[in-house]
mmCIF file of all heavy atoms in Angstrom:
data_model
loop_
_atom_site.group_PDB
_atom_site.id
_atom_site.type_symbol
_atom_site.label_atom_id
_atom_site.label_comp_id
_atom_site.label_asym_id
_atom_site.label_seq_id
_atom_site.Cartn_x
_atom_site.Cartn_y
_atom_site.Cartn_z
ATOM 1 N N ILE H 1578 -15.433 52.347 -82.537
ATOM 2 C CA ILE H 1578 -15.000 53.501 -83.349
ATOM 3 C C ILE H 1578 -16.205 54.343 -83.708
ATOM 4 O O ILE H 1578 -17.187 53.823 -84.286
ATOM 5 C CB ILE H 1578 -14.226 53.017 -84.609
ATOM 6 C CG1 ILE H 1578 -12.992 52.253 -84.189
ATOM 7 C CG2 ILE H 1578 -13.868 54.216 -85.481
ATOM 8 C CD1 ILE H 1578 -12.169 51.699 -85.297
ATOM 9 N N ASN H 1579 -16.149 55.621 -83.372
ATOM 10 C CA ASN H 1579 -17.244 56.546 -83.620
ATOM 11 C C ASN H 1579 -17.187 57.070 -85.059
ATOM 12 O O ASN H 1579 -16.210 56.882 -85.758
ATOM 13 C CB ASN H 1579 -17.186 57.709 -82.628
ATOM 14 C CG ASN H 1579 -17.305 57.261 -81.194
ATOM 15 O OD1 ASN H 1579 -18.106 56.385 -80.872
ATOM 16 N ND2 ASN H 1579 -16.493 57.814 -80.337
ATOM 17 N N ASP H 1580 -18.257 57.769 -85.459
ATOM 18 C CA ASP H 1580 -18.361 58.295 -86.812
ATOM 19 C C ASP H 1580 -17.209 59.293 -87.140
ATOM 20 O O ASP H 1580 -16.763 59.376 -88.265
ATOM 21 C CB ASP H 1580 -19.696 59.037 -87.033
ATOM 22 C CG ASP H 1580 -20.854 58.057 -87.037
ATOM 23 O OD1 ASP H 1580 -20.621 56.846 -87.294
ATOM 24 O OD2 ASP H 1580 -21.983 58.493 -86.781
ATOM 25 N N ASP H 1581 -16.711 60.021 -86.132
ATOM 26 C CA ASP H 1581 -15.651 60.991 -86.332
ATOM 27 C C ASP H 1581 -14.257 60.335 -86.204
ATOM 28 O O ASP H 1581 -13.260 61.046 -86.116
ATOM 29 C CB ASP H 1581 -15.789 62.156 -85.388
ATOM 30 C CG ASP H 1581 -15.625 61.781 -83.910
ATOM 31 O OD1 ASP H 1581 -15.453 60.547 -83.610
ATOM 32 O OD2 ASP H 1581 -15.671 62.657 -83.057
ATOM 33 N N LEU H 1582 -14.209 59.025 -86.205
ATOM 34 C CA LEU H 1582 -13.006 58.188 -86.105
ATOM 35 C C LEU H 1582 -12.337 58.236 -84.757
ATOM 36 O O LEU H 1582 -11.254 57.697 -84.565
ATOM 37 C CB LEU H 1582 -12.018 58.552 -87.202
ATOM 38 C CG LEU H 1582 -12.539 58.309 -88.637
ATOM 39 C CD1 LEU H 1582 -11.425 58.637 -89.656
ATOM 40 C CD2 LEU H 1582 -13.029 56.883 -88.841
ATOM 41 N N SER H 1583 -12.976 58.902 -83.770
ATOM 42 C CA SER H 1583 -12.485 58.776 -82.404
ATOM 43 C C SER H 1583 -13.001 57.405 -81.900
ATOM 44 O O SER H 1583 -13.787 56.754 -82.549
ATOM 45 C CB SER H 1583 -13.035 59.904 -81.535
ATOM 46 O OG SER H 1583 -14.425 59.818 -81.423
ATOM 47 N N PHE H 1584 -12.508 57.003 -80.746
ATOM 48 C CA PHE H 1584 -13.000 55.740 -80.236
ATOM 49 C C PHE H 1584 -13.343 55.868 -78.742
ATOM 50 O O PHE H 1584 -12.903 56.760 -78.065
ATOM 51 C CB PHE H 1584 -11.980 54.604 -80.474
ATOM 52 C CG PHE H 1584 -10.741 54.706 -79.677
ATOM 53 C CD1 PHE H 1584 -10.621 54.119 -78.424
ATOM 54 C CD2 PHE H 1584 -9.623 55.387 -80.193
ATOM 55 C CE1 PHE H 1584 -9.428 54.222 -77.693
ATOM 56 C CE2 PHE H 1584 -8.450 55.496 -79.454
ATOM 57 C CZ PHE H 1584 -8.360 54.897 -78.210
ATOM 58 N N GLN H 1585 -14.166 54.939 -78.307
ATOM 59 C CA GLN H 1585 -14.511 54.829 -76.904
ATOM 60 C C GLN H 1585 -14.419 53.378 -76.501
ATOM 61 O O GLN H 1585 -14.604 52.485 -77.331
ATOM 62 C CB GLN H 1585 -15.882 55.385 -76.643
ATOM 63 C CG GLN H 1585 -17.048 54.597 -77.244
ATOM 64 C CD GLN H 1585 -18.383 55.258 -77.059
ATOM 65 O OE1 GLN H 1585 -18.496 56.477 -77.240
ATOM 66 N NE2 GLN H 1585 -19.370 54.489 -76.704
ATOM 67 N N MET H 1586 -14.149 53.153 -75.244
ATOM 68 C CA MET H 1586 -14.068 51.796 -74.702
ATOM 69 C C MET H 1586 -15.349 51.506 -73.932
ATOM 70 O O MET H 1586 -15.715 52.241 -73.022
ATOM 71 C CB MET H 1586 -12.851 51.678 -73.791
ATOM 72 C CG MET H 1586 -11.513 52.033 -74.435
ATOM 73 S SD MET H 1586 -11.142 51.056 -75.911
ATOM 74 C CE MET H 1586 -10.420 49.620 -75.178
ATOM 75 N N ASP H 1587 -16.034 50.444 -74.367
ATOM 76 C CA ASP H 1587 -17.294 50.053 -73.732
ATOM 77 C C ASP H 1587 -17.112 48.707 -73.067
ATOM 78 O O ASP H 1587 -16.567 47.772 -73.649
ATOM 79 C CB ASP H 1587 -18.412 49.924 -74.769
ATOM 80 C CG ASP H 1587 -18.808 51.279 -75.369
ATOM 81 O OD1 ASP H 1587 -18.723 52.294 -74.656
ATOM 82 O OD2 ASP H 1587 -19.232 51.294 -76.542
ATOM 83 N N CYS H 1588 -17.608 48.579 -71.850
ATOM 84 C CA CYS H 1588 -17.613 47.337 -71.122
ATOM 85 C C CYS H 1588 -18.992 46.698 -71.328
ATOM 86 O O CYS H 1588 -19.993 47.295 -70.950
ATOM 87 C CB CYS H 1588 -17.334 47.542 -69.641
ATOM 88 S SG CYS H 1588 -17.392 46.003 -68.688
ATOM 89 N N HIS H 1589 -19.055 45.534 -71.917
ATOM 90 C CA HIS H 1589 -20.272 44.784 -72.129
ATOM 91 C C HIS H 1589 -20.299 43.620 -71.129
ATOM 92 O O HIS H 1589 -19.235 43.026 -70.821
ATOM 93 C CB HIS H 1589 -20.320 44.195 -73.555
ATOM 94 C CG HIS H 1589 -20.368 45.240 -74.630
ATOM 95 N ND1 HIS H 1589 -21.544 45.622 -75.225
ATOM 96 C CD2 HIS H 1589 -19.408 45.977 -75.213
ATOM 97 C CE1 HIS H 1589 -21.311 46.552 -76.130
ATOM 98 N NE2 HIS H 1589 -20.013 46.769 -76.136
ATOM 99 N N ALA H 1590 -21.485 43.255 -70.657
ATOM 100 C CA ALA H 1590 -21.577 42.151 -69.719
ATOM 101 C C ALA H 1590 -22.801 41.298 -70.000
ATOM 102 O O ALA H 1590 -23.847 41.796 -70.390
ATOM 103 C CB ALA H 1590 -21.630 42.698 -68.285
ATOM 104 N N VAL H 1591 -22.637 40.004 -69.771
ATOM 105 C CA VAL H 1591 -23.744 39.042 -69.864
ATOM 106 C C VAL H 1591 -23.744 38.180 -68.604
ATOM 107 O O VAL H 1591 -22.710 37.916 -68.006
ATOM 108 C CB VAL H 1591 -23.641 38.130 -71.104
ATOM 109 C CG1 VAL H 1591 -23.743 38.967 -72.397
ATOM 110 C CG2 VAL H 1591 -22.366 37.307 -71.116
#
Side-chain angles (χ1 to χ4, degrees):
I1578 298 178
N1579 300 318
D1580 292 338
D1581 64 358
L1582 299 182
S1583 64
F1584 68 91
Q1585 67 186 44
M1586 303 303 276
D1587 292 328
C1588 178
H1589 295 262
V1591 296

